[in-house]
mmCIF file of all heavy atoms in Angstrom:
data_model
loop_
_atom_site.group_PDB
_atom_site.id
_atom_site.type_symbol
_atom_site.label_atom_id
_atom_site.label_comp_id
_atom_site.label_asym_id
_atom_site.label_seq_id
_atom_site.Cartn_x
_atom_site.Cartn_y
_atom_site.Cartn_z
ATOM 1 N N MET A 11 215.938 119.781 94.187
ATOM 2 C CA MET A 11 215.159 120.616 95.125
ATOM 3 C C MET A 11 214.753 119.790 96.353
ATOM 4 O O MET A 11 215.029 120.163 97.476
ATOM 5 C CB MET A 11 213.914 121.146 94.387
ATOM 6 C CG MET A 11 213.214 122.280 95.118
ATOM 7 S SD MET A 11 214.172 123.817 95.118
ATOM 8 C CE MET A 11 212.960 124.936 95.803
ATOM 9 N N ILE A 12 214.116 118.659 96.106
ATOM 10 C CA ILE A 12 213.681 117.817 97.231
ATOM 11 C C ILE A 12 214.887 117.224 97.954
ATOM 12 O O ILE A 12 214.922 117.156 99.175
ATOM 13 C CB ILE A 12 212.737 116.705 96.713
ATOM 14 C CG1 ILE A 12 211.421 117.340 96.240
ATOM 15 C CG2 ILE A 12 212.453 115.678 97.819
ATOM 16 C CD1 ILE A 12 210.534 116.415 95.457
ATOM 17 N N LEU A 13 215.885 116.839 97.216
ATOM 18 C CA LEU A 13 217.092 116.297 97.834
ATOM 19 C C LEU A 13 217.762 117.347 98.708
ATOM 20 O O LEU A 13 218.240 117.065 99.801
ATOM 21 C CB LEU A 13 218.062 115.829 96.740
ATOM 22 C CG LEU A 13 217.718 114.478 96.101
ATOM 23 C CD1 LEU A 13 218.636 114.210 94.927
ATOM 24 C CD2 LEU A 13 217.863 113.352 97.122
ATOM 25 N N THR A 14 217.800 118.565 98.237
ATOM 26 C CA THR A 14 218.398 119.657 98.999
ATOM 27 C C THR A 14 217.639 119.878 100.303
ATOM 28 O O THR A 14 218.222 120.039 101.365
ATOM 29 C CB THR A 14 218.384 120.955 98.165
ATOM 30 O OG1 THR A 14 219.016 120.699 96.930
ATOM 31 C CG2 THR A 14 219.121 122.062 98.878
ATOM 32 N N LEU A 15 216.331 119.818 100.225
ATOM 33 C CA LEU A 15 215.501 120.017 101.418
ATOM 34 C C LEU A 15 215.749 118.897 102.426
ATOM 35 O O LEU A 15 215.895 119.140 103.612
ATOM 36 C CB LEU A 15 214.019 120.055 100.994
ATOM 37 C CG LEU A 15 213.038 120.438 102.090
ATOM 38 C CD1 LEU A 15 213.285 121.874 102.531
ATOM 39 C CD2 LEU A 15 211.606 120.281 101.589
ATOM 40 N N GLY A 16 215.811 117.666 101.942
ATOM 41 C CA GLY A 16 216.062 116.531 102.828
ATOM 42 C C GLY A 16 217.397 116.661 103.537
ATOM 43 O O GLY A 16 217.503 116.382 104.728
ATOM 44 N N PHE A 17 218.377 117.119 102.831
ATOM 45 C CA PHE A 17 219.702 117.308 103.423
ATOM 46 C C PHE A 17 219.645 118.365 104.524
ATOM 47 O O PHE A 17 220.213 118.189 105.603
ATOM 48 C CB PHE A 17 220.677 117.733 102.317
ATOM 49 C CG PHE A 17 222.077 117.967 102.813
ATOM 50 C CD1 PHE A 17 222.859 116.900 103.238
ATOM 51 C CD2 PHE A 17 222.594 119.246 102.848
ATOM 52 C CE1 PHE A 17 224.150 117.108 103.690
ATOM 53 C CE2 PHE A 17 223.885 119.461 103.299
ATOM 54 C CZ PHE A 17 224.664 118.395 103.723
ATOM 55 N N ALA A 18 218.927 119.446 104.287
ATOM 56 C CA ALA A 18 218.806 120.519 105.266
ATOM 57 C C ALA A 18 218.095 120.021 106.520
ATOM 58 O O ALA A 18 218.519 120.316 107.635
ATOM 59 C CB ALA A 18 218.054 121.702 104.660
ATOM 60 N N VAL A 19 217.041 119.260 106.353
ATOM 61 C CA VAL A 19 216.302 118.725 107.501
ATOM 62 C C VAL A 19 217.184 117.771 108.296
ATOM 63 O O VAL A 19 217.211 117.796 109.515
ATOM 64 C CB VAL A 19 215.010 118.016 107.034
ATOM 65 C CG1 VAL A 19 214.363 117.258 108.187
ATOM 66 C CG2 VAL A 19 214.034 119.048 106.472
ATOM 67 N N GLY A 20 217.945 116.959 107.595
ATOM 68 C CA GLY A 20 218.846 116.032 108.273
ATOM 69 C C GLY A 20 219.856 116.756 109.135
ATOM 70 O O GLY A 20 220.136 116.356 110.253
ATOM 71 N N ARG A 21 220.370 117.849 108.608
ATOM 72 C CA ARG A 21 221.330 118.643 109.389
ATOM 73 C C ARG A 21 220.663 119.275 110.592
ATOM 74 O O ARG A 21 221.246 119.368 111.661
ATOM 75 C CB ARG A 21 221.951 119.737 108.508
ATOM 76 C CG ARG A 21 223.038 119.162 107.645
ATOM 77 C CD ARG A 21 223.860 120.164 106.882
ATOM 78 N NE ARG A 21 223.604 121.548 107.140
ATOM 79 C CZ ARG A 21 224.500 122.503 106.920
ATOM 80 N NH1 ARG A 21 225.686 122.180 106.446
ATOM 81 N NH2 ARG A 21 224.232 123.751 107.127
ATOM 82 N N MET A 22 219.440 119.719 110.442
ATOM 83 C CA MET A 22 218.727 120.334 111.560
ATOM 84 C C MET A 22 218.486 119.320 112.671
ATOM 85 O O MET A 22 218.641 119.619 113.834
ATOM 86 C CB MET A 22 217.379 120.894 111.075
ATOM 87 C CG MET A 22 217.533 122.214 110.358
ATOM 88 S SD MET A 22 215.962 122.804 109.718
ATOM 89 C CE MET A 22 215.149 123.246 111.254
ATOM 90 N N LEU A 23 218.107 118.103 112.292
ATOM 91 C CA LEU A 23 217.870 117.067 113.291
ATOM 92 C C LEU A 23 219.157 116.768 114.058
ATOM 93 O O LEU A 23 219.133 116.529 115.250
ATOM 94 C CB LEU A 23 217.358 115.792 112.609
ATOM 95 C CG LEU A 23 215.921 115.875 112.092
ATOM 96 C CD1 LEU A 23 215.586 114.617 111.301
ATOM 97 C CD2 LEU A 23 214.929 116.061 113.224
ATOM 98 N N HIS A 24 220.243 116.830 113.344
ATOM 99 C CA HIS A 24 221.541 116.564 113.961
ATOM 100 C C HIS A 24 221.866 117.618 115.018
ATOM 101 O O HIS A 24 222.614 117.361 115.947
ATOM 102 C CB HIS A 24 222.607 116.556 112.866
ATOM 103 C CG HIS A 24 223.946 116.150 113.369
ATOM 104 N ND1 HIS A 24 224.217 114.858 113.795
ATOM 105 C CD2 HIS A 24 225.100 116.840 113.519
ATOM 106 C CE1 HIS A 24 225.485 114.806 114.186
ATOM 107 N NE2 HIS A 24 226.046 115.981 114.026
ATOM 108 N N LEU A 25 221.279 118.805 114.866
ATOM 109 C CA LEU A 25 221.597 119.916 115.763
ATOM 110 C C LEU A 25 220.546 120.116 116.848
ATOM 111 O O LEU A 25 220.516 121.136 117.502
ATOM 112 C CB LEU A 25 221.745 121.205 114.943
ATOM 113 C CG LEU A 25 222.941 121.207 113.979
ATOM 114 C CD1 LEU A 25 222.854 122.374 113.032
ATOM 115 C CD2 LEU A 25 224.249 121.249 114.738
ATOM 116 N N LYS A 26 219.715 119.125 117.034
ATOM 117 C CA LYS A 26 218.716 119.250 118.092
ATOM 118 C C LYS A 26 219.381 119.141 119.456
ATOM 119 O O LYS A 26 220.292 118.345 119.658
ATOM 120 C CB LYS A 26 217.657 118.150 117.953
ATOM 121 C CG LYS A 26 216.457 118.595 117.159
ATOM 122 C CD LYS A 26 215.473 117.467 116.979
ATOM 123 C CE LYS A 26 214.640 117.277 118.232
ATOM 124 N NZ LYS A 26 213.592 116.259 118.010
ATOM 125 N N ARG A 27 218.897 119.921 120.375
ATOM 126 C CA ARG A 27 219.446 119.912 121.718
ATOM 127 C C ARG A 27 218.300 119.888 122.728
ATOM 128 O O ARG A 27 217.267 120.486 122.498
ATOM 129 C CB ARG A 27 220.288 121.170 121.928
ATOM 130 C CG ARG A 27 221.551 120.900 122.713
ATOM 131 C CD ARG A 27 222.345 122.148 122.871
ATOM 132 N NE ARG A 27 223.295 122.359 121.769
ATOM 133 C CZ ARG A 27 224.234 123.298 121.798
ATOM 134 N NH1 ARG A 27 224.327 124.104 122.806
ATOM 135 N NH2 ARG A 27 225.048 123.440 120.801
ATOM 136 N N THR A 28 218.514 119.235 123.849
ATOM 137 C CA THR A 28 217.482 119.169 124.877
ATOM 138 C C THR A 28 217.851 120.088 126.020
ATOM 139 O O THR A 28 218.964 120.017 126.544
ATOM 140 C CB THR A 28 217.346 117.729 125.399
ATOM 141 O OG1 THR A 28 217.124 116.862 124.296
ATOM 142 C CG2 THR A 28 216.176 117.618 126.367
ATOM 143 N N CYS A 29 216.934 120.938 126.395
ATOM 144 C CA CYS A 29 217.172 121.849 127.513
ATOM 145 C C CYS A 29 217.242 121.062 128.818
ATOM 146 O O CYS A 29 216.362 120.264 129.102
ATOM 147 C CB CYS A 29 216.047 122.876 127.569
ATOM 148 S SG CYS A 29 216.154 123.958 129.003
ATOM 149 N N PRO A 30 218.289 121.273 129.637
ATOM 150 C CA PRO A 30 218.416 120.539 130.900
ATOM 151 C C PRO A 30 217.383 120.975 131.941
ATOM 152 O O PRO A 30 217.139 120.263 132.902
ATOM 153 C CB PRO A 30 219.842 120.865 131.363
ATOM 154 C CG PRO A 30 220.172 122.162 130.707
ATOM 155 C CD PRO A 30 219.423 122.182 129.403
ATOM 156 N N LYS A 31 216.793 122.134 131.733
ATOM 157 C CA LYS A 31 215.855 122.672 132.716
ATOM 158 C C LYS A 31 214.410 122.292 132.403
ATOM 159 O O LYS A 31 213.714 121.723 133.233
ATOM 160 C CB LYS A 31 216.000 124.192 132.760
ATOM 161 C CG LYS A 31 215.300 124.827 133.940
ATOM 162 C CD LYS A 31 215.597 126.318 133.965
ATOM 163 C CE LYS A 31 214.760 127.024 135.017
ATOM 164 N NZ LYS A 31 214.934 128.482 134.938
ATOM 165 N N CYS A 32 213.964 122.584 131.178
ATOM 166 C CA CYS A 32 212.563 122.327 130.841
ATOM 167 C C CYS A 32 212.399 121.082 129.971
ATOM 168 O O CYS A 32 211.283 120.692 129.673
ATOM 169 C CB CYS A 32 211.943 123.547 130.164
ATOM 170 S SG CYS A 32 212.577 123.896 128.503
ATOM 171 N N LYS A 33 213.520 120.461 129.589
ATOM 172 C CA LYS A 33 213.525 119.203 128.835
ATOM 173 C C LYS A 33 212.907 119.304 127.446
ATOM 174 O O LYS A 33 212.546 118.305 126.843
ATOM 175 C CB LYS A 33 212.803 118.081 129.621
ATOM 176 C CG LYS A 33 213.282 117.906 131.035
ATOM 177 C CD LYS A 33 214.727 117.461 131.095
ATOM 178 C CE LYS A 33 215.137 117.228 132.554
ATOM 179 N NZ LYS A 33 216.588 117.066 132.677
ATOM 180 N N ARG A 34 212.753 120.506 126.945
ATOM 181 C CA ARG A 34 212.184 120.667 125.619
ATOM 182 C C ARG A 34 213.300 120.639 124.569
ATOM 183 O O ARG A 34 214.424 121.036 124.849
ATOM 184 C CB ARG A 34 211.399 121.969 125.531
ATOM 185 C CG ARG A 34 210.102 121.875 126.317
ATOM 186 C CD ARG A 34 209.093 122.814 125.750
ATOM 187 N NE ARG A 34 208.849 123.900 126.688
ATOM 188 C CZ ARG A 34 207.819 124.750 126.569
ATOM 189 N NH1 ARG A 34 206.974 124.638 125.581
ATOM 190 N NH2 ARG A 34 207.658 125.704 127.433
ATOM 191 N N HIS A 35 212.928 120.193 123.389
ATOM 192 C CA HIS A 35 213.896 120.094 122.305
ATOM 193 C C HIS A 35 213.837 121.345 121.449
ATOM 194 O O HIS A 35 212.775 121.910 121.232
ATOM 195 C CB HIS A 35 213.587 118.875 121.429
ATOM 196 C CG HIS A 35 213.585 117.591 122.190
ATOM 197 N ND1 HIS A 35 214.739 116.901 122.459
ATOM 198 C CD2 HIS A 35 212.574 116.906 122.764
ATOM 199 C CE1 HIS A 35 214.421 115.819 123.151
ATOM 200 N NE2 HIS A 35 213.113 115.789 123.360
ATOM 201 N N GLN A 36 214.992 121.744 120.969
ATOM 202 C CA GLN A 36 215.034 122.845 120.030
ATOM 203 C C GLN A 36 216.244 122.693 119.125
ATOM 204 O O GLN A 36 217.192 122.009 119.462
ATOM 205 C CB GLN A 36 215.079 124.177 120.753
ATOM 206 C CG GLN A 36 216.260 124.353 121.690
ATOM 207 C CD GLN A 36 215.954 125.447 122.693
ATOM 208 O OE1 GLN A 36 215.866 126.621 122.366
ATOM 209 N NE2 GLN A 36 215.752 125.047 123.942
ATOM 210 N N VAL A 37 216.161 123.330 117.994
ATOM 211 C CA VAL A 37 217.230 123.227 117.009
ATOM 212 C C VAL A 37 218.209 124.369 117.203
ATOM 213 O O VAL A 37 217.819 125.523 117.361
ATOM 214 C CB VAL A 37 216.639 123.267 115.589
ATOM 215 C CG1 VAL A 37 217.758 123.292 114.552
ATOM 216 C CG2 VAL A 37 215.740 122.059 115.371
ATOM 217 N N VAL A 38 219.479 124.022 117.238
ATOM 218 C CA VAL A 38 220.539 125.008 117.406
ATOM 219 C C VAL A 38 221.113 125.362 116.032
ATOM 220 O O VAL A 38 221.357 124.470 115.227
ATOM 221 C CB VAL A 38 221.648 124.411 118.303
ATOM 222 C CG1 VAL A 38 222.824 125.367 118.438
ATOM 223 C CG2 VAL A 38 221.083 124.069 119.666
ATOM 224 N N PRO A 39 221.310 126.623 115.744
ATOM 225 C CA PRO A 39 221.915 126.992 114.464
ATOM 226 C C PRO A 39 223.285 126.341 114.295
ATOM 227 O O PRO A 39 224.014 126.154 115.277
ATOM 228 C CB PRO A 39 222.060 128.522 114.551
ATOM 229 C CG PRO A 39 221.080 128.935 115.594
ATOM 230 C CD PRO A 39 220.975 127.787 116.561
ATOM 231 N N HIS A 40 223.588 126.018 113.058
ATOM 232 C CA HIS A 40 224.823 125.293 112.781
ATOM 233 C C HIS A 40 226.049 126.024 113.305
ATOM 234 O O HIS A 40 226.981 125.409 113.825
ATOM 235 C CB HIS A 40 224.937 125.087 111.258
ATOM 236 C CG HIS A 40 226.050 124.170 110.885
ATOM 237 N ND1 HIS A 40 227.202 124.610 110.279
ATOM 238 C CD2 HIS A 40 226.202 122.832 111.053
ATOM 239 C CE1 HIS A 40 228.009 123.569 110.093
ATOM 240 N NE2 HIS A 40 227.436 122.490 110.537
ATOM 241 N N GLU A 41 226.050 127.359 113.201
ATOM 242 C CA GLU A 41 227.218 128.122 113.638
ATOM 243 C C GLU A 41 227.365 128.162 115.158
ATOM 244 O O GLU A 41 228.400 128.555 115.675
ATOM 245 C CB GLU A 41 227.185 129.548 113.061
ATOM 246 C CG GLU A 41 225.996 130.367 113.510
ATOM 247 C CD GLU A 41 224.804 130.231 112.569
ATOM 248 O OE1 GLU A 41 224.723 129.221 111.831
ATOM 249 O OE2 GLU A 41 223.958 131.134 112.561
ATOM 250 N N LYS A 42 226.325 127.717 115.872
ATOM 251 C CA LYS A 42 226.405 127.687 117.343
ATOM 252 C C LYS A 42 226.506 126.266 117.885
ATOM 253 O O LYS A 42 226.226 126.015 119.048
ATOM 254 C CB LYS A 42 225.170 128.390 117.922
ATOM 255 C CG LYS A 42 225.179 129.873 117.635
ATOM 256 C CD LYS A 42 224.092 130.587 118.404
ATOM 257 C CE LYS A 42 224.169 132.081 118.152
ATOM 258 N NZ LYS A 42 223.054 132.808 118.779
ATOM 259 N N LYS A 43 226.925 125.377 117.025
ATOM 260 C CA LYS A 43 226.993 123.969 117.386
ATOM 261 C C LYS A 43 227.872 123.731 118.603
ATOM 262 O O LYS A 43 227.584 122.880 119.434
ATOM 263 C CB LYS A 43 227.528 123.184 116.175
ATOM 264 C CG LYS A 43 227.287 121.695 116.274
ATOM 265 C CD LYS A 43 227.538 121.014 114.946
ATOM 266 C CE LYS A 43 229.013 120.774 114.694
ATOM 267 N NZ LYS A 43 229.230 119.909 113.514
ATOM 268 N N HIS A 44 228.943 124.480 118.715
ATOM 269 C CA HIS A 44 229.894 124.269 119.807
ATOM 270 C C HIS A 44 229.795 125.352 120.875
ATOM 271 O O HIS A 44 230.702 125.521 121.678
ATOM 272 C CB HIS A 44 231.318 124.209 119.258
ATOM 273 C CG HIS A 44 231.511 123.088 118.281
ATOM 274 N ND1 HIS A 44 231.411 121.754 118.625
ATOM 275 C CD2 HIS A 44 231.764 123.101 116.945
ATOM 276 C CE1 HIS A 44 231.615 121.004 117.561
ATOM 277 N NE2 HIS A 44 231.825 121.790 116.519
ATOM 278 N N GLN A 45 228.698 126.098 120.841
ATOM 279 C CA GLN A 45 228.538 127.173 121.815
ATOM 280 C C GLN A 45 227.353 126.896 122.727
ATOM 281 O O GLN A 45 226.440 126.162 122.365
ATOM 282 C CB GLN A 45 228.282 128.505 121.094
ATOM 283 C CG GLN A 45 229.460 128.973 120.253
ATOM 284 C CD GLN A 45 229.092 130.222 119.471
ATOM 285 O OE1 GLN A 45 228.341 131.074 119.926
ATOM 286 N NE2 GLN A 45 229.624 130.332 118.257
ATOM 287 N N THR A 46 227.375 127.528 123.894
ATOM 288 C CA THR A 46 226.219 127.461 124.773
ATOM 289 C C THR A 46 225.124 128.355 124.198
ATOM 290 O O THR A 46 225.382 129.498 123.831
ATOM 291 C CB THR A 46 226.604 127.947 126.178
ATOM 292 O OG1 THR A 46 227.595 127.081 126.703
ATOM 293 C CG2 THR A 46 225.398 127.934 127.113
ATOM 294 N N VAL A 47 223.933 127.813 124.111
ATOM 295 C CA VAL A 47 222.817 128.593 123.577
ATOM 296 C C VAL A 47 221.757 128.776 124.667
ATOM 297 O O VAL A 47 221.738 128.066 125.663
ATOM 298 C CB VAL A 47 222.173 127.912 122.348
ATOM 299 C CG1 VAL A 47 223.167 127.840 121.198
ATOM 300 C CG2 VAL A 47 221.655 126.535 122.692
ATOM 301 N N ARG A 48 220.887 129.743 124.457
ATOM 302 C CA ARG A 48 219.836 130.016 125.426
ATOM 303 C C ARG A 48 218.547 129.334 124.989
ATOM 304 O O ARG A 48 218.144 129.454 123.832
ATOM 305 C CB ARG A 48 219.638 131.529 125.527
ATOM 306 C CG ARG A 48 218.615 131.897 126.583
ATOM 307 C CD ARG A 48 218.847 133.285 127.107
ATOM 308 N NE ARG A 48 220.091 133.337 127.907
ATOM 309 C CZ ARG A 48 220.576 134.454 128.432
ATOM 310 N NH1 ARG A 48 219.989 135.598 128.252
ATOM 311 N NH2 ARG A 48 221.683 134.424 129.138
ATOM 312 N N CYS A 49 217.928 128.638 125.909
ATOM 313 C CA CYS A 49 216.653 127.973 125.631
ATOM 314 C C CYS A 49 215.618 129.023 125.256
ATOM 315 O O CYS A 49 215.455 130.026 125.949
ATOM 316 C CB CYS A 49 216.203 127.199 126.869
ATOM 317 S SG CYS A 49 214.566 126.459 126.689
ATOM 318 N N LYS A 50 214.931 128.790 124.141
ATOM 319 C CA LYS A 50 213.946 129.776 123.694
ATOM 320 C C LYS A 50 212.653 129.691 124.484
ATOM 321 O O LYS A 50 211.792 130.543 124.351
ATOM 322 C CB LYS A 50 213.681 129.615 122.205
ATOM 323 C CG LYS A 50 213.026 128.303 121.812
ATOM 324 C CD LYS A 50 212.816 128.272 120.309
ATOM 325 C CE LYS A 50 212.276 126.919 119.856
ATOM 326 N NZ LYS A 50 212.101 126.857 118.400
ATOM 327 N N TYR A 51 212.515 128.665 125.313
ATOM 328 C CA TYR A 51 211.293 128.498 126.099
ATOM 329 C C TYR A 51 211.460 129.052 127.513
ATOM 330 O O TYR A 51 210.617 129.783 128.004
ATOM 331 C CB TYR A 51 210.903 127.026 126.182
ATOM 332 C CG TYR A 51 210.701 126.394 124.823
ATOM 333 C CD1 TYR A 51 211.639 125.514 124.288
ATOM 334 C CD2 TYR A 51 209.568 126.695 124.070
ATOM 335 C CE1 TYR A 51 211.449 124.938 123.054
ATOM 336 C CE2 TYR A 51 209.380 126.128 122.826
ATOM 337 C CZ TYR A 51 210.314 125.250 122.321
ATOM 338 O OH TYR A 51 210.139 124.689 121.085
ATOM 339 N N CYS A 52 212.572 128.683 128.196
ATOM 340 C CA CYS A 52 212.722 129.074 129.605
ATOM 341 C C CYS A 52 213.950 129.945 129.840
ATOM 342 O O CYS A 52 214.236 130.304 130.967
ATOM 343 C CB CYS A 52 212.772 127.825 130.486
ATOM 344 S SG CYS A 52 214.292 126.883 130.311
ATOM 345 N N LYS A 53 214.713 130.254 128.771
ATOM 346 C CA LYS A 53 215.880 131.136 128.836
ATOM 347 C C LYS A 53 217.055 130.551 129.606
ATOM 348 O O LYS A 53 217.974 131.262 129.986
ATOM 349 C CB LYS A 53 215.528 132.516 129.449
ATOM 350 C CG LYS A 53 214.289 133.165 128.871
ATOM 351 C CD LYS A 53 214.444 133.450 127.396
ATOM 352 C CE LYS A 53 213.210 134.186 126.876
ATOM 353 N NZ LYS A 53 213.039 134.031 125.435
ATOM 354 N N ALA A 54 217.031 129.261 129.878
ATOM 355 C CA ALA A 54 218.168 128.623 130.541
ATOM 356 C C ALA A 54 219.298 128.431 129.529
ATOM 357 O O ALA A 54 219.059 128.327 128.335
ATOM 358 C CB ALA A 54 217.742 127.285 131.118
ATOM 359 N N ASP A 55 220.523 128.352 130.037
ATOM 360 C CA ASP A 55 221.661 128.087 129.158
ATOM 361 C C ASP A 55 221.747 126.593 128.876
ATOM 362 O O ASP A 55 221.675 125.778 129.791
ATOM 363 C CB ASP A 55 222.959 128.563 129.810
ATOM 364 C CG ASP A 55 223.073 130.075 129.798
ATOM 365 O OD1 ASP A 55 222.440 130.706 128.942
ATOM 366 O OD2 ASP A 55 223.800 130.608 130.651
ATOM 367 N N ILE A 56 221.939 126.250 127.622
ATOM 368 C CA ILE A 56 222.087 124.851 127.238
ATOM 369 C C ILE A 56 223.499 124.661 126.707
ATOM 370 O O ILE A 56 223.832 125.182 125.641
ATOM 371 C CB ILE A 56 221.078 124.462 126.145
ATOM 372 C CG1 ILE A 56 219.667 124.915 126.528
ATOM 373 C CG2 ILE A 56 221.118 122.952 125.915
ATOM 374 C CD1 ILE A 56 218.655 124.690 125.419
ATOM 375 N N PRO A 57 224.341 123.961 127.441
ATOM 376 C CA PRO A 57 225.727 123.764 126.987
ATOM 377 C C PRO A 57 225.776 122.810 125.802
ATOM 378 O O PRO A 57 224.895 121.967 125.648
ATOM 379 C CB PRO A 57 226.424 123.169 128.210
ATOM 380 C CG PRO A 57 225.340 122.503 128.989
ATOM 381 C CD PRO A 57 224.091 123.300 128.732
ATOM 382 N N PRO A 58 226.806 122.942 124.976
ATOM 383 C CA PRO A 58 226.954 122.028 123.842
ATOM 384 C C PRO A 58 227.266 120.618 124.309
ATOM 385 O O PRO A 58 227.798 120.419 125.401
ATOM 386 C CB PRO A 58 228.124 122.628 123.051
ATOM 387 C CG PRO A 58 228.901 123.407 124.044
ATOM 388 C CD PRO A 58 227.905 123.909 125.047
ATOM 389 N N LYS A 59 226.911 119.661 123.477
ATOM 390 C CA LYS A 59 227.220 118.273 123.804
ATOM 391 C C LYS A 59 228.726 118.060 123.764
ATOM 392 O O LYS A 59 229.403 118.585 122.884
ATOM 393 C CB LYS A 59 226.544 117.346 122.795
ATOM 394 C CG LYS A 59 225.056 117.214 123.028
ATOM 395 C CD LYS A 59 224.443 116.336 121.943
ATOM 396 C CE LYS A 59 222.930 116.451 121.951
ATOM 397 N NZ LYS A 59 222.351 115.847 120.750
ATOM 398 N N LYS A 60 229.214 117.294 124.688
ATOM 399 C CA LYS A 60 230.642 117.010 124.724
ATOM 400 C C LYS A 60 231.005 115.949 123.686
ATOM 401 O O LYS A 60 230.282 114.992 123.524
ATOM 402 C CB LYS A 60 231.045 116.535 126.117
ATOM 403 C CG LYS A 60 230.884 117.606 127.158
ATOM 404 C CD LYS A 60 232.078 118.585 127.136
ATOM 405 C CE LYS A 60 231.717 119.906 127.755
ATOM 406 N NZ LYS A 60 231.484 119.786 129.183
HETATM 407 ZN ZN1 ZN B 115 214.378 125.313 128.645
#
């Protein structure tokens, strides 16, 4: 149980992205790892990391 949770958190940290506009960090869903996502704070588009 605890090991499973740790693994999930590790994956979430791996998917953190920084908004180029407001510089805030947010977690991107795993299925959108390679897609442009919308910043939940300022609605700017955040492109995937190259
Ligand atoms: Zn933003």
Side-chain angles (χ1 to χ4, degrees):
M11 194 70 171
I12 292 168
L13 282 173
T14 306
L15 188 65
F17 180 70
V19 170
R21 280 189 5 156
M22 282 177 71
L23 288 174
H24 186 68
L25 294 169
K26 266 177 79 175
R27 220 179 271 190
T28 306
C29 175
K31 192 175 172 186
C32 69
K33 309 296 183 192
R34 288 206 249 193
H35 302 277
Q36 59 200 291
V37 175
V38 176
H40 189 251
E41 62 269 22
K42 292 190 177 175
K43 196 167 80 170
H44 299 295
Q45 295 175 35
T46 298
V47 296
R48 184 155 291 176
C49 175
K50 65 180 175 182
Y51 302 106
C52 71
K53 312 298 184 203
D55 287 336
I56 311 174
K59 285 177 194 168
K60 294 280 158 68

